[in-house]
Amino acid sequence: MLKEAKKNNKAIFHFNINNLEWTKCILEECDKLKVPVIIGVSESAIKYMGGYNVVAALCYSLITDLNIKTDVCLHLDHGSSLESCQKAIDAGFNSVMIDGSKLPYKENVELVKEVVLYAKNNDVSVEAEIGSMGSISQDELKLGTNTNVEDCLNFVAETGIDSVAASVGTVHGIYKGELNIDYDLIKKLSSELTIPLVLHGGSGLSNDILKKCVESGITKININSDIQDAWSIAIKKYIKENSSVIDPRKIIGSGFEAIKEVVDSKININE
Ligand code: 13P
C-alpha cells in the first residue's frame, strides 16, 4: 500500500480507532471513497477494547459483514515492546510500529531488529521511529528533536524496517498555532530513503500543510486527535440538546457524521 503511494507521491491515511463505532465509520467512509486505509490502534486502545484478538476480530469481522472492498491494513501504533508487537502479529495484525525512539540509538536499533525478525517470519511490515516527537496536552506544548538525516539513513539500513517515522516538527495532539515544520528535512529524507516516510501528529494541521508535507515526501499520515475532537464536540452537543435520550446507540451514534467528515476532509488532500 505504502510503496505504491510513495511511487505516486500520494499519502495513505492512518486513522486511530478506539471502539467498534470508530472502526465502522472509518471503514465505511474509506470504502465509500474507494481509498485504501490504515486502521491504527494504540496499546491503550487495545487494552480498552479487551485485547489484541478482540481488535483483530472486530476489524476483520466488520470488513466481512459490511462487505468492505477497499484495502485495509490493521496496524499497531506505538508498540512499546517486542512482546506487544508479537501479540499483535499473532492476533493477525498486518503491520506493527515499534517505538524505541526514547531509547539511545543502539538500543533502539537492537529492539527494532528483534521485531523485524519476528515480523518478517510472519509476513508483517514494521514501522519504527527515530528522533523525538513533540506533544501537546492541556495546551502545554513540548517540542521534540528533529530527526538527524544520517542517523535516520543508518537506522533504516541497520534495521531493515519497511517505513520510518521521523520527527520533522509536528506534535501529537491538536496544536492550534503555527508549527515549524521542516519541509527541507522531509525532502532530504524522502529523496535519500527508498522506504516510505511517516508523519505522526497529523492533527491540527490544515489540508494545505498536509499537502505540502506530501509534496515534500510524506507517504503515511497519522490522525488521531482530530477525530476525537470532532466526535466529542458532536456528542456533547447532542446530549445537551437531547438530555432525555438514554439509548447508547443514539448518543454514541450522534458522533458518526463528525468522524466521517474528518475522514472525508483529510482524504481530499490526495485529489
Ligand atoms: P495526532 O494526535 O496529532 O492525531 O497524532 C496521531 C498519531 O501520530 C498517532 O500515531
Side-chain angles (χ1 to χ4, degrees):
M1 215 188 252
L2 290 178
K3 271 187 201 153
E4 187 66 17
K6 182 171 167 72
K7 216 165 59 192
N8 298 321
N9 272 327
K10 300 267 184 211
I12 304 282
F13 278 90
H14 151 142
F15 295 110
N16 281 80
I17 58 160
N18 293 287
N19 54 21
L20 177 141
E21 287 80 6
W22 242 252
T23 319
K24 185 168 178 266
C25 286
I26 294 166
L27 288 175
E28 281 180 340
E29 197 59 14
C30 291
D31 196 52
K32 191 180 98 190
L33 299 168
K34 295 191 168 52
V35 290
V37 64
I38 297 169
I39 298 287
V41 54
S42 66
E43 288 174 351
S44 56
I46 290 169
K47 192 168 167 210
Y48 171 80
M49 285 189 263
Y52 295 81
N53 293 306
V54 176
V55 173
L58 170 75
C59 185
Y60 297 134
S61 303
L62 283 170
I63 291 172
T64 305
D65 288 352
L66 299 174
N67 198 21
I68 300 294
K69 294 276 182 264
T70 199
D71 285 341
V72 179
C73 166
L74 179 61
H75 171 78
L76 172 67
D77 192 23
H78 292 284
S80 61
S81 63
L82 172 64
E83 294 71 33
S84 169
C85 292
Q86 284 173 330
K87 280 187 192 163
I89 293 166
D90 293 349
F93 282 49
N94 313 108
S95 172
V96 292
M97 176 195 186
I98 175 71
D99 183 357
S101 61
K102 291 198 172 61
L103 298 172
Y105 178 84
K106 272 208 159 65
E107 286 174 43
N108 191 3
V109 167
E110 286 316 310
L111 175 63
V112 175
K113 274 164 77 174
E114 285 184 291
V115 173
V116 168
L117 184 65
Y118 195 81
K120 295 294 158 208
N121 286 333
N122 289 277
D123 207 16
V124 164
S125 57
V126 179
E127 173 187 326
E129 179 166 334
I130 179 148
S132 81
M133 281 279 305
S135 64
I136 174 134
S137 155
Q138 265 123 37
D139 284 342
E140 196 195 325
L141 176 67
K142 275 199 208 124
L143 288 173
T145 314
N146 281 2
T147 300
N148 172 283
V149 176
E150 203 185 317
D151 282 353
C152 187
L153 298 181
N154 290 335
F155 183 67
V156 170
E158 283 186 66
T159 55
I161 50 176
D162 302 282
S163 60
V164 63
S167 184
V168 294
T170 57
V171 296
H172 282 123
I174 300 177
Y175 184 61
K176 300 230 164 66
E178 185 89 3
L179 282 169
N180 190 13
I181 298 178
D182 191 340
Y183 298 103
D184 288 335
L185 175 60
I186 300 177
K187 281 183 196 152
K188 178 102 185 117
L189 287 169
S190 161
S191 64
E192 303 257 353
L193 289 166
T194 52
I195 63 167
L197 197 54
V198 180
L199 184 80
H200 279 250
S203 292
L205 303 178
S206 69
N207 277 9
D208 282 346
I209 292 179
L210 290 178
K211 255 188 203 166
K212 212 168 153 191
C213 289
V214 177
E215 281 160 14
S216 306
I218 290 291
T219 303
K220 174 175 178 265
I221 300 176
N222 288 16
I223 305 279
N224 180 25
S225 308
D226 271 344
I227 300 186
Q228 296 192 356
D229 189 44
W231 180 82
S232 62
I233 290 170
I235 295 278
K236 284 175 200 161
K237 182 169 180 287
Y238 180 84
I239 293 174
K240 204 170 165 203
E241 291 168 1
N242 302 273
S243 57
S244 61
V245 174
I246 60 163
D247 183 340
R249 290 164 298 186
K250 289 196 176 136
I251 298 171
I252 297 170
S254 66
F256 279 11
E257 274 317 303
I259 295 179
K260 290 185 173 185
E261 273 168 25
V262 173
V263 171
D264 201 38
S265 72
K266 302 289 169 191
I267 299 287
N268 264 333
I269 71 155
N270 273 325
E271 278 171 7

